[in-house]
């Protein structure tokens, strides 16, 4: 029997808890990849990882090495960022002592191939000429920074514009340092500032359809007052989600009230909500943080509304909502990243008035909403299980595997 090749994986965060998109993506990819490779996981982290979280990864890798980043050193790096051309987030996560340490540790394990997640890890492994190395770019970050700047407070806008410029330069040249690159969607790939962008492999996100099942154990959240009409879930410390939550409450909800002569009852739920998100709470808007099981939030409303304005890439939240048979409404930008014909399981809207009209129509036609949900789950099961979503990644890494 031929032994499995060895894969080194480098991540900017420990892939648990599953409260951020990059953690969710690599957590499930590791499970698929472990069926084809021995895996040595190398994680950067700003926090201590408790044993209970380490146990969550035991079934999907052979070893775990943690590199604790020093917050004080990170502060100094950001203070000197003015004198560097690298993106702020690359500087934040790049600690020189760990670059040397990681290199020694990885080479001692004799990997056949290496996978690095996000440009935040690129400085650690970009010069690993002895090992074929692949970068999962995930999203086109420079485009997200520019779009976020358009809706950011005045004091934050110059920083985002500068970060967008730095990311644009970095994303242009980082492709040259790796033997292969992957990205979540064709939409993001088309935005890459590189003439060879078509060589970047598309590896979409997936969803655990057994876990996100409409008959799952957790009941809907117990909320005061009348049942909610729509839910929006995600990491509420993530800037694109903050922008979307504000758009839902401050623009879509008033448009709905003008149309229907009653308030739109909204549930916003997710980890690490900013003060801005918490400030959106009102008699008709419930903001809930850090629920034990996010499925309860999805199941609390008949409709899932994700008015993503500044994001790029395939949204995990939409796949999870579809898997739970929720009728979904989102923006054309978010819908186009899915790249699969969902047979009407998701409706799209751009203006507040369009969102309001679609919400009102579906609330008045619960059978139609239920039908959309059923179609959506079927399409997700067919195209977005993690095994199917990770197939291109497995093939790419196997292509680069060295003969030992």
């Amino acid at each position: 029997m031929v032994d499995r090749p060895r894969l080194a994986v480098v991540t900017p965060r420990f892939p648990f808890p599953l409260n951020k998109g990059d953690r969710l993506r690599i957590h499930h990819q590791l499970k698929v990849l472990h069926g084809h490779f021995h895996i040595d996981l190398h994680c950067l982290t700003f926090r201590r990882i408790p044993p209970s979280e380490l146990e969550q990864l035991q079934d999907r890798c052979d070893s775990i090495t943690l590199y604790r980043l020093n917050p004080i050193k990170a502060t100094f790096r950001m203070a000197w960022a003015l004198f560097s051309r690298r993106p702020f987030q690359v500087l934040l996560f790049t600690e020189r002592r760990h670059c040397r340490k990681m290199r020694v540790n990885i080479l001692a394990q004799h990997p056949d191939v290496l996978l690095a997640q996000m440009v935040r890890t690129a400085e650690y492994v970009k010069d690993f000429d002895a090992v074929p190395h692949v970068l999962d770019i995930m999203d086109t970050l420079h485009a997200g920074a520019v779009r976020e700047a358009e809706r950011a407070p005045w004091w934050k806008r110059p920083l985002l514009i500068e970060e967008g410029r730095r990311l644009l330069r970095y994303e242009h040249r980082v492709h040259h340092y790796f033997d292969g690159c992957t990205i979540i969607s064709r939409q993001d790939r088309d935005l890459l500032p590189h003439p060879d962008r078509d060589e970047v492999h598309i590896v979409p996100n997936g969803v655990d359809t057994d876990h996100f099942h409409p008959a799952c154990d957790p009941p809907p959240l117990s909320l005061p007052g009348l049942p909610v009409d729509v839910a929006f879930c995600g990491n509420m410390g993530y800037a694109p989600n903050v922008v979307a939550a504000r758009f839902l409450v401050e623009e879509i909800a008033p448009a709905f009230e003008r149309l229907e002569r009653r308030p739109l009852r909204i549930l916003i739920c997710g980890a690490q909500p900013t003060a801005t998100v918490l400030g959106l709470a009102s008699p008709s808007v419930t903001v809930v943080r850090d629920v034990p099981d996010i499925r309860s939030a999805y199941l609390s409303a008949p409709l899932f509304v994700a008015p993503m304005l500044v994001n790029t890439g395939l949204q995990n939240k939409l796949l999870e909502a579809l898997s739970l048979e929720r009728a979904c409404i989102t923006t054309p930008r978010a819908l186009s990243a899915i790249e699969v014909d969902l047979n009407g399981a998701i409706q799209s809207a751009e203006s507040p008035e369009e969102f309001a009209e679609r919400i009102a129509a579906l609330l008045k036609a619960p059978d139609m909403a239920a039908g959309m949900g059923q179609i959506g789950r079927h399409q997700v099961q067919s195209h977005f299980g993690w095994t199917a979503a990770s197939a291109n990644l497995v093939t790419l890494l196997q292509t680069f595997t060295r003969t030992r």
Side-chain angles (χ1 to χ4, degrees):
M1 181 177 178
V2 179
D3 192 19
R4 289 174 294 167
R6 184 165 291 276
L7 169 67
V9 178
V10 180
T11 66
R13 284 189 275 241
F14 186 75
F16 199 85
L18 307 183
N19 58 0
K20 294 182 181 292
D22 56 300
R23 284 176 171 155
L24 182 73
R25 178 172 170 86
I26 195 64
H27 182 86
H28 289 291
Q29 286 179 338
L30 285 172
K31 185 175 182 179
V32 176
L33 292 170
H34 201 219
H36 302 271
F37 300 89
H38 292 292
I39 295 180
D40 299 305
L41 181 62
H42 299 261
C43 301
L44 305 173
T45 178
F46 277 101
R47 64 186 181 92
R48 186 186 69 83
I49 307 300
S52 60
E53 292 186 12
L54 290 170
E55 290 174 4
Q56 300 293 327
L57 276 291
Q58 294 303 315
D59 65 339
R60 51 198 78 199
C61 54
D62 297 84
S63 70
I64 301 174
T65 306
L66 302 176
Y67 303 84
R68 186 78 177 269
L69 297 171
N70 188 317
I72 297 176
K73 290 184 177 180
T75 302
F76 277 109
R77 288 196 299 275
M78 298 312 294
W80 284 96
L82 209 59
F83 303 98
S84 172
R85 290 169 60 86
R86 289 179 181 149
F88 300 138
Q89 58 189 276
V90 172
L91 291 169
L92 180 67
F93 282 85
T94 303
E95 199 162 308
R96 287 299 165 195
R97 66 188 179 104
H98 287 323
C99 288
R100 296 187 292 270
K101 184 179 178 182
M102 185 183 293
R103 184 180 186 88
V104 170
N105 289 342
I106 290 176
L107 292 178
Q109 293 166 334
H110 304 291
D112 296 289
V113 64
L114 181 149
L115 173 65
Q117 187 190 41
M118 302 184 72
V119 296
R120 296 170 180 176
T121 65
E123 294 297 314
Y124 287 88
V125 297
K126 68 179 186 181
D127 298 321
F128 264 47
D129 296 332
V131 181
H133 44 305
V134 174
L135 176 66
D136 183 18
I137 300 169
M138 284 189 59
D139 303 314
T140 310
L141 297 176
H142 82 269
V146 171
R147 290 196 186 108
E148 186 182 345
E150 294 172 357
R151 291 179 169 268
W154 65 269
W155 57 268
K156 193 177 181 181
R157 197 171 301 133
L159 292 174
L160 288 168
I161 293 172
E162 177 61 23
E163 177 73 338
R165 292 194 188 110
R166 294 180 181 215
L167 283 165
L168 181 66
R169 292 193 297 264
Y170 197 79
E171 289 172 345
H172 180 269
R173 68 175 186 269
V174 76
H175 181 272
H176 294 292
Y177 294 115
F178 290 84
D179 297 292
C181 292
T182 63
I183 201 162
I184 290 176
S185 71
R186 192 179 310 276
Q187 177 195 75
D188 270 292
R189 189 176 71 176
D190 290 344
L191 292 172
L192 284 174
H194 197 282
D196 298 328
R197 64 175 69 89
D198 289 342
E199 296 178 5
V200 176
H201 299 259
I202 295 172
V203 177
N205 282 334
V207 64
D208 185 344
T209 56
D210 292 330
H211 182 73
F212 287 93
H213 192 285
C216 58
D217 292 333
L221 294 176
S222 178
L223 302 172
L226 295 171
V228 295
D229 299 312
V230 302
F232 175 56
C233 306
N235 181 343
M236 291 302 156
Y238 179 50
N241 287 341
V242 175
V243 172
R246 289 188 59 190
F247 186 68
L248 175 58
V249 173
E250 297 175 354
E251 299 190 46
I252 295 174
F256 178 90
E257 188 164 1
R258 289 192 297 270
L259 181 67
E260 294 296 305
R261 307 300 182 196
R262 72 167 181 87
L264 179 66
R265 295 184 290 273
I266 300 170
L267 169 64
I268 297 173
C269 183
Q272 302 173 327
T274 64
T276 297
V277 173
L278 293 173
L280 297 174
S282 72
S284 59
V285 179
T286 302
V287 179
V288 180
R289 60 190 302 169
D290 300 322
V291 293
D293 194 323
I294 194 63
R295 294 174 295 179
S296 297
Y298 284 111
L299 294 172
S300 297
L303 307 182
F304 183 77
V305 177
M308 309 307 296
L309 302 176
V310 301
N311 70 300
T312 57
L314 180 57
Q315 297 296 302
N316 293 319
K317 59 180 71 67
L318 283 172
L319 298 181
E320 292 169 353
L322 289 171
S323 188
L324 288 167
E325 295 188 352
R326 301 297 96 177
C328 297
I329 307 172
T330 192
T331 55
R333 177 182 289 123
L335 182 57
S336 66
I338 294 179
E339 298 179 13
V340 169
D341 183 3
L342 295 174
N343 293 329
I346 298 181
Q347 294 186 0
S348 68
E350 276 193 288
S351 69
E353 290 73 23
E354 288 176 332
F355 271 101
E357 289 170 3
R358 282 157 179 71
I359 291 169
L362 287 174
L363 289 175
K364 293 173 182 176
D367 290 344
M368 180 180 177
M372 287 173 58
Q374 292 167 3
I375 293 170
R377 176 166 173 81
H378 174 74
Q379 294 297 95
V380 165
Q381 286 178 304
S382 300
H383 300 284
F384 292 105
W386 277 108
T387 299
S390 304
N392 285 347
L393 179 60
V394 172
T395 300
L396 177 64
L397 293 173
Q398 288 176 332
T399 300
F400 287 116
T401 298
R402 296 183 294 123
T403 302
R404 299 185 67 178

